[in-house]
Amino acid sequence: MSKLTLLYITIAAITALLLALFQYLYKSKLKSNLKYVLAALRTISIFGIFLLLINPKFESFTYFNEKPTLVVAIDNSESVSYLKQDEKSIEVVNTLMNDSELKERFNIQTYKFGKSVSSLDSLNFSERQTNIASVLKQFEEIYANLTAPIVLLSDGNQTYGADYSYIAKGIKQPIYPVILGDSTIHSDLSIQQLNVNRYVYLKNKFPVEIIANYSGNEAIETELKIWSGNTVVFKKTLKFNALKSSEIISTALTANSVGVIKYRVELVPLTTEKNKVNNIKNFGVEVIDQKTNIALVYDRLHPDLGALKKAIESNEQRSVSILKPQELTDKIIDFQLVVLYQPNYNFKHLLNAIKEQKVNTFIISGTTTEWNLLQKTQGYFKQVVTNQTESFQPSLNKNYGTFIVENLDFNSFPPLQSEFGSLQITVPYETLLYKRVNGITTEDILLATFETEGTKHAILNGEDIWRWRSQSYLNTNSFSAFDEFINKLVQYLSSNKKRRRINVDYKSFYNGNDDVIISAQYFNKNFEFDNSASLSIVLKNKDDNSVREVPLLLNNGNYTVDLSGINAGLYEFTIKHNSESISVSGSFQVLEYNVEQQFLNADIEKLKAMATESNGAAYFTSEIDKLIGTLISDNRYRTIQKSTKNIVSLIDWKYLLGLIALSLFVEWFIRKYNGLI
């Protein structure tokens, strides 16, 4: 309470007393002591009212002790059990969790991690990927404002995500790695990396690049072989020693048949080699017999052209030619899809040729589009021409059903520039993206697709789509999500397949550690998306003829099933409706490869470097008592006394109001009883 408030209270008390004395003592006719009682009651009433007007505030403090948090994170990946450290890991965890001094000093929070992190309930060491960088990032966000040292039980072998040694530099919390693994160096051959294109063309040669590594001091000789089935299609003798520990091998193989072709790269192991799993790596290529040719037609240069070409050609099955309108008119039949970028009057002859040849199109409008020309050369849509432009952000139509669309966080995408006014499509169509203005989603079309007269078309009502590709990279550190979105649109437009009631999205083959996720959409007889359908997938392993059925779950507007972790092999599947006779079939192959079994030792140097960068220290499992002693004795992790200040206004004190009311009532009663009223 401030000095000024105390002064006001003092003045209020004196004023209340003087007013009461003036009323009951100065020239008062009362001769008995009753006048003093009434004066006291009036003083209390007036002073209470003055206090409410002044409304002083009272502060109170509550003190409590806050213990630091000890974060214990355990590597639950397969590499821990492969290195025979699973039992030791469980033993260390139990020691940390049950130590009485640690429990008294810290609030212990336990987690397990693989590709992602979760609370520790049980350990099975079955995670197929390890992402230590993601774990550290999440802990930094959760415990940013707390004292929370991190004990990390891991072999340090990361198979997914950014390099954790760089992430550790930005972590404010000290990190104490407990190293799971053997520090003894053994002679070992391994295939560190294999680079190959996913798609190749029939009868063409495709490059294969292999990086072979050797750890050891002796001079050795081995042979690298590439197998296709039971046939060796390439082999080379390799020599390594203490000074030459790696070699890059490049070759070119020929694609002789259409479909998924499986290959196996093998380094002939040493007789003393402990880990022979990392000597073999399988890879596959999908051989296609032709490329989808796409014409990107323009009359003025714009960054959108480069962004579209890069996005479309990220799929090696597609080739984009950037052409002027007059260059395409005579060879339009060579292309399966024509992308018309901001058509103007120079597109007139081309638009007529497209209509005559019945070619599929993707029209992208913008600030220089000649809408009058477009509306004269086709009868599919009409745009209100205002000669004014406006910016529109995208909003995904989750009920769009022509093909499966993943939400790219469209709400974060920058606006596109287009003609002000609504676009009307006069044939049956589906809106993929609506226009959003000032955060409000409208019913106006930003991107829509439609089919008419045996052709497929799409229209994007805005320019500057290159900004979307850049924003997608900022959101995910990759262009792949945006490129996949564009490629799904292009795949639909360049294909002449008829629409089906069940659409399925899957890959023709998956590498051993990929997430095997299959998505589907189901439509009723009116081709309206049905979010109450019961779908299931019947999966058959062609290698052992085993069959299992798994339900598909509705997730973000699609029916999905996660088959990650299934054994390597060739699979056939059928997605069916459980109460209607409708289904769709396909096949895919899972290549044998377990990245968690590629390691022979723990990555001790990187774990120690991470500890040093974060002002922590690294320990082996045999030094767990030393780690506990360090945590207990470190003055950075002392219990902190904190206080909470509560400020209460007197006007909120109900007893004061009661006291005022009571004093006024008693005064009135006494006066009434004594005939003074």
Side-chain angles (χ1 to χ4, degrees):
M1 192 182 301
S2 66
K3 293 181 179 180
L4 183 60
T5 302
L6 289 174
L7 178 61
Y8 287 155
I9 292 173
T10 304
I11 294 173
I14 295 171
T15 303
L17 179 62
L18 291 175
L19 288 173
L21 292 175
F22 177 80
Q23 182 174 358
Y24 285 108
L25 297 182
Y26 181 71
K27 295 182 179 180
S28 175
K29 296 179 181 180
L30 287 172
K31 301 301 181 180
S32 65
N33 292 331
L34 189 61
K35 61 183 178 181
Y36 297 109
V37 175
L38 293 173
L41 290 171
R42 180 56 59 93
T43 301
I44 292 172
S45 301
I46 296 174
F47 180 61
I49 293 171
F50 282 160
L51 279 180
L52 291 177
L53 293 174
I54 297 170
N55 191 24
K57 295 178 175 60
F58 298 92
E59 296 179 353
S60 64
F61 292 87
T62 303
Y63 296 92
F64 61 94
N65 294 328
E66 182 178 270
K67 295 194 293 186
T69 300
L70 179 64
V71 180
V72 180
I74 303 96
D75 190 340
N76 194 41
S77 63
E78 289 184 350
S79 62
V80 174
S81 59
Y82 186 71
L83 295 176
K84 296 180 174 58
Q85 295 294 312
D86 45 349
E87 293 183 2
K88 196 67 178 177
S89 177
I90 294 173
E91 181 183 333
V92 171
V93 172
N94 290 333
T95 300
L96 292 172
M97 292 177 62
N98 296 322
D99 187 273
S100 58
E101 289 187 84
L102 275 183
K103 289 196 292 185
E104 183 179 351
R105 185 71 178 271
F106 296 94
N107 290 320
I108 302 177
Q109 301 288 333
T110 54
Y111 300 88
K112 62 180 178 181
F113 65 90
K115 190 176 180 180
S116 60
V117 63
S118 61
S119 297
L120 176 63
D121 47 10
S122 61
L123 292 169
N124 51 21
F125 304 102
S126 61
E127 295 281 348
R128 299 171 64 86
Q129 296 271 22
T130 308
N131 190 349
I132 299 175
S134 175
V135 174
L136 296 179
K137 277 185 177 180
Q138 291 188 53
F139 288 161
E140 174 64 15
E141 294 173 1
I142 296 171
Y143 301 104
N145 300 317
L146 299 175
T147 301
I150 301 170
V151 175
L152 189 77
L153 281 74
S154 177
D155 54 20
N157 295 315
Q158 178 167 288
T159 62
Y160 186 86
D163 190 334
Y164 65 85
S165 61
Y166 291 101
I167 299 296
K169 295 179 181 179
I171 303 296
K172 297 179 182 178
Q173 309 291 357
I175 303 173
Y176 296 89
V178 177
I179 301 170
L180 304 174
D182 189 2
S183 60
T184 306
I185 303 298
H186 301 276
S187 296
D188 184 59
L189 288 168
S190 64
I191 299 172
Q192 181 186 17
Q193 191 168 334
L194 190 149
N195 301 317
V196 65
N197 294 332
R198 186 179 184 92
Y199 301 99
V200 298
Y201 299 98
L202 186 64
K203 303 302 181 184
N204 283 4
K205 287 185 176 292
F206 59 95
V208 179
E209 183 181 73
I210 303 159
I211 301 177
N213 271 11
Y214 168 67
S215 60
N217 297 318
E218 299 178 0
I220 59 101
E221 181 177 306
T222 186
E223 191 173 42
L224 182 138
K225 300 177 181 180
I226 300 179
W227 296 78
S228 177
N230 296 320
T231 304
V232 177
V233 295
F234 174 81
K235 64 180 179 179
K236 182 179 180 180
T237 300
L238 306 178
K239 295 182 179 181
F240 296 103
N241 53 47
L243 299 177
K244 182 187 176 184
S245 60
S246 67
E247 184 173 341
I248 299 175
I249 303 96
S250 299
T251 185
L253 305 178
T254 303
N256 293 317
S257 60
V258 175
V260 177
I261 309 299
K262 179 182 173 182
Y263 295 90
R264 184 177 82 256
V265 181
E266 178 187 4
L267 277 173
V268 176
L270 306 174
T271 54
T272 59
E273 201 166 350
K274 288 186 65 178
N275 185 4
K276 299 179 182 180
V277 175
N278 58 8
N279 292 43
I280 298 173
K281 190 166 186 178
N282 295 286
F283 71 95
V285 295
E286 185 173 355
V287 182
I288 52 181
D289 58 358
Q290 63 179 354
K291 224 174 199 181
T292 301
N293 295 315
I294 298 159
L296 178 53
V297 189
Y298 75 103
D299 196 51
R300 74 177 181 99
L301 292 173
H302 194 280
D304 284 353
L305 301 173
L308 287 167
K309 181 177 174 65
K310 286 183 177 294
I312 297 171
E313 289 189 341
S314 65
N315 186 324
E316 298 166 20
Q317 299 181 69
R318 301 187 175 96
S319 174
V320 177
S321 300
I322 302 180
L323 304 168
K324 288 281 191 176
Q326 56 271 22
E327 296 175 328
L328 179 62
T329 305
D330 296 332
K331 51 183 179 181
I332 194 171
I333 60 174
D334 296 335
F335 297 91
Q336 288 76 49
L337 173 65
V338 176
V339 182
L340 302 169
Y341 188 78
Q342 301 210 43
N344 55 26
Y345 283 105
N346 292 329
F347 284 69
K348 183 176 181 180
H349 296 298
L350 176 60
L351 288 169
N352 290 330
I354 287 172
K355 189 173 183 180
E356 292 175 4
Q357 298 288 340
K358 292 188 175 182
V359 178
N360 298 342
T361 64
F362 178 21
I363 297 174
I364 302 176
S365 67
T367 57
T368 61
T369 301
E370 293 290 348
W371 284 104
N372 291 325
L373 171 67
L374 282 175
Q375 292 171 163
K376 287 178 183 178
T377 54
Q378 54 75 40
Y380 309 143
F381 52 81
K382 295 179 181 179
Q383 168 71 42
V384 177
V385 180
T386 61
N387 295 320
Q388 297 180 8
T389 61
E390 189 168 353
S391 299
F392 301 100
Q393 283 187 284
S395 178
L396 178 65
N397 175 16
K398 294 185 178 179
N399 293 322
Y400 180 80
T402 303
F403 54 86
I404 296 175
V405 179
E406 300 293 339
N407 194 339
L408 297 178
D409 192 13
F410 286 102
N411 291 336
S412 70
F413 282 11
L416 302 185
Q417 299 287 327
S418 65
E419 183 83 12
F420 177 76
S422 61
L423 172 69
Q424 295 180 340
I425 300 178
T426 57
V427 297
Y429 69 95
E430 275 200 273
T431 302
L432 201 162
L433 297 173
Y434 291 109
K435 290 180 179 179
R436 187 162 55 92
V437 182
N438 297 326
I440 300 174
T441 300
T442 69
E443 295 297 321
D444 292 337
I445 298 169
L446 182 61
L447 175 59
T449 59
F450 57 94
E451 299 180 22
T452 181
E453 298 178 355
T455 57
K456 296 179 179 179
H457 305 274
I459 180 165
L460 174 65
N461 199 3
E463 65 177 76
D464 289 340
I465 196 173
W466 67 271
R467 298 179 186 273
W468 288 9
R469 191 169 190 260
S470 301
Q471 185 63 47
S472 177
Y473 183 86
L474 293 176
N475 292 346
T476 62
N477 292 324
S478 172
F479 293 114
S480 60
F482 175 83
D483 293 350
E484 185 176 354
F485 167 70
I486 293 296
N487 272 292
K488 285 184 177 180
L489 179 60
V490 168
Q491 180 180 2
Y492 161 72
L493 294 173
S494 59
S495 170
N496 291 320
K497 292 181 179 178
K498 292 184 178 180
R499 190 173 179 184
R500 295 182 298 188
R501 289 180 58 189
I502 297 181
N503 290 333
V504 183
D505 184 23
Y506 67 99
K507 297 178 182 178
S508 55
F509 70 91
Y510 298 86
N511 292 315
N513 284 87
D514 289 348
D515 293 330
V516 183
I517 298 175
I518 298 178
S519 301
Q521 287 180 323
Y522 173 76
F523 305 94
N524 60 25
K525 293 180 180 179
N526 295 324
F527 282 97
E528 297 170 337
F529 179 76
D530 188 347
N531 61 3
S532 61
S534 175
L535 301 181
S536 61
I537 180 171
V538 179
L539 188 68
K540 180 179 181 181
N541 188 328
K542 293 290 289 182
D543 296 337
D544 59 13
N545 290 322
S546 61
V547 178
R548 65 167 171 158
E549 185 171 342
V550 183
L552 275 71
L553 303 178
L554 187 63
N555 182 23
N556 292 328
N558 298 324
Y559 293 93
T560 62
V561 60
D562 189 349
L563 301 174
S564 303
I566 60 176
N567 295 328
L570 178 63
Y571 290 87
E572 291 181 347
F573 69 88
T574 299
I575 294 179
K576 63 178 184 176
H577 193 285
N578 291 330
S579 58
E580 292 187 33
S581 58
I582 180 171
S583 63
V584 63
S585 299
S587 64
F588 62 87
Q589 189 163 8
V590 178
L591 304 181
E592 186 174 357
Y593 179 67
N594 191 329
V595 67
E596 291 289 334
Q597 294 182 359
Q598 304 302 304
F599 307 105
L600 185 62
N601 299 96
D603 198 335
I604 299 173
E605 295 303 320
K606 188 174 285 189
L607 289 172
K608 287 184 175 180
M610 177 179 66
T612 302
E613 289 286 346
S614 64
N615 295 319
Y619 297 88
F620 288 95
T621 53
S622 58
E623 301 173 305
I624 194 64
D625 291 334
K626 185 178 178 182
L627 167 61
I628 293 174
T630 299
L631 292 171
I632 293 173
S633 61
D634 197 320
N635 289 329
R636 291 178 294 176
Y637 314 135
R638 289 177 294 185
T639 299
I640 301 173
Q641 187 181 70
K642 292 188 175 182
S643 63
T644 301
K645 182 171 72 172
N646 297 318
I647 300 176
V648 181
S649 298
L650 190 63
I651 199 171
D652 297 326
W653 196 44
K654 59 185 179 182
Y655 297 110
L656 178 60
L657 296 174
L659 180 63
I660 295 171
L662 179 62
S663 64
L664 288 172
F665 172 75
V666 172
E667 181 187 355
W668 173 86
F669 181 80
I670 293 173
R671 286 167 62 89
K672 183 74 173 176
Y673 183 79
N674 289 279
L676 300 176
I677 297 179

